[in-house]
Amino acid sequence: MTTPPGPSPSHGSWLRDTLLRRLLANASKLLGGKALNAVFGLGALAVAARGLGVEQFGVLVLIHTFTQAVGEIAKFQSWQAVLRYGTPALREERRGDFQRLIRFTVLLDGISAVLGMALAVAVAGLAGPAFGWPDEVLPAAMLYVTSCLFMVTATPTGVLRLVDRFDLLAWQSTVGAAVRCLAGAAVWAAGGGLGAFLVAWYVATAAAGVFLIAAGWRELSRGGLLAGWRWRGGGLTAGFPGIWGFVWTTNLNTTLELAFTHMGTLAAGAFLGTREAALFRIARQFADALAKPAKLLVPAIYPELARLYAAGDIAGIRRLMQRSALLAGLVATVMMVAVWLLGEWVLRVIVGPEFVAAFPVMLWLVAGAVVGIWAFPLEPLLISTGHAGAALRVRLWSTALYVPLLLLLLDTVGLIGAGWAALAASLFIFVALLLPVIRWFGRSGGQPGPQHP
């Protein structure tokens, strides 16, 4: 039986839209923790900025950003495989297949964690001078980058999203931010320097990673999904057609996305120095925090799209995307106006007068984030419906645009060029993702999607 492509009259009211209400409910679970996360995250940066000053704070954020970048490069996005292939397995009560999937993704996580840590240590010694890390800081930096071991937690992330435990995901990020803030405050009060702040931030990363792994394992156990569990067993990918291509594609897609999350800070440090890297990091943190409520819909929409596609409900997919994009875009636009009106004052009060210079680039970063939020359901739809390759091509082209534009503008106009480059790339991604999504809806024409990935 086919499903009409347009919205059903029975779902005319947004208040009665079960899909949207469930999406918002899951996003609100994240919001509760993310609100605290934003407060603690800003607090951690404010404490470190005031305790270290702009130059040493720049060194701290460059070391931390480098570690995050290496961890993300090494990490397979196996949480997407857990959702894509785990949803039909649980729907059809194929527990054995689900357990094999989890063993496969855990294996990917373990291998990538060890390789990522080794890569981080090897590259840190070479990258340090390029980013302006003082020679006396290099040993501590090489120890700090081993914290990327605790950043490779994709499988428990996928498990918690699959079982709708978004509240635990929110608390995980809050744990890390809270430890970073409170430990940093203790270091500041004790008059500690850069080395002590690195220790505090390392402990925070480790705490967040351990919490997430424990929470994911606990939910599997509570759901009876570990009954008969064995760590050994052949044929890990049997019954999951295309899974290797899927995980490689999504991993490369996320690696390319790093250009937008970490490249700006690292490039500012390499081209302009630690001071400008500190200003950019502060600007990006405030921009992310102010746009966070709308961005929380991104992780919440993946399991909903996976369920709708497995059920063949194309009309539901269309309705969910339209309404969630409009809601998220409006919220983000309001937040952009708030930044324009209050941004300078907030910077002065929270991190100090010497960081007010971050305000101009912050405006452009917020504008780019708002464009991305209006487009937020587009990439999840392509990935959830088996068109990860299309999303990857968009990332390839957008990275090819963004990176040289970023470097050129940093070199010619300074730090504000990083904001211009971010907005230009966001506009390109919006258009480039929208076109294949429109084509997909045209081809689907209301026909049910496959029951298996």
Side-chain angles (χ1 to χ4, degrees), residues 121-144:
V121 173
V123 176
L126 301 174
F131 294 127
W133 302 348
D135 291 340
E136 62 272 17
V137 175
L138 277 177
M142 294 180 70
L143 287 173
Y144 183 84

Side-chain angles (χ1 to χ4, degrees), residues 239-292:
F240 305 118
I243 191 171
W244 272 114
F246 181 82
V247 295
W248 278 111
T249 300
T250 53
N251 184 60
L252 181 55
N253 187 37
T254 302
T255 299
L256 292 171
E257 192 176 353
L258 289 176
F260 301 94
T261 55
H262 302 309
M263 182 67 178
T265 303
L266 296 175
F271 272 71
L272 305 176
T274 55
R275 178 181 181 275
E276 283 70 18
L279 294 176
F280 183 85
R281 183 65 179 86
I282 287 292
R284 191 171 72 81
Q285 180 72 17
F286 274 84
D288 288 347
L290 291 169
K292 184 66 73 177

